[in-house]
Amino acid sequence: MTLYKDKLKIDSNRLRDWDYSSEAVYFITMVTKDRECIFGSVEDGKMILN
């Protein structure tokens, strides 16, 4: 396959033996450009969505 020849290819961060189609709970972290707070804020340990 010549598609990635001489180009940067990043290895997958997925677990090799994990079935990603199964039901599970995932923790997702999102960071905005310049870490701008656009989703809400944390007050007294609780997330306040905007």
Side-chain angles (χ1 to χ4, degrees), residues 2-50:
T2 60
L3 180 64
Y4 294 109
K5 187 176 181 181
D6 299 325
K7 301 209 179 191
L8 178 66
K9 185 176 179 192
I10 299 171
D11 292 332
S12 175
N13 288 334
R14 290 178 165 236
L15 296 173
R16 289 187 176 153
D17 296 328
W18 182 258
D19 179 9
Y20 283 90
S21 66
S22 66
E23 184 175 327
V25 176
Y26 295 93
F27 181 80
I28 300 172
T29 302
M30 295 188 297
V31 178
T32 60
K33 182 180 179 186
D34 298 325
R35 296 187 177 269
E36 185 179 353
C37 294
I38 61 172
F39 300 113
S41 61
V42 178
E43 297 178 14
D44 297 324
K46 294 183 181 179
M47 182 68 194
I48 309 298
L49 301 175
N50 56 349

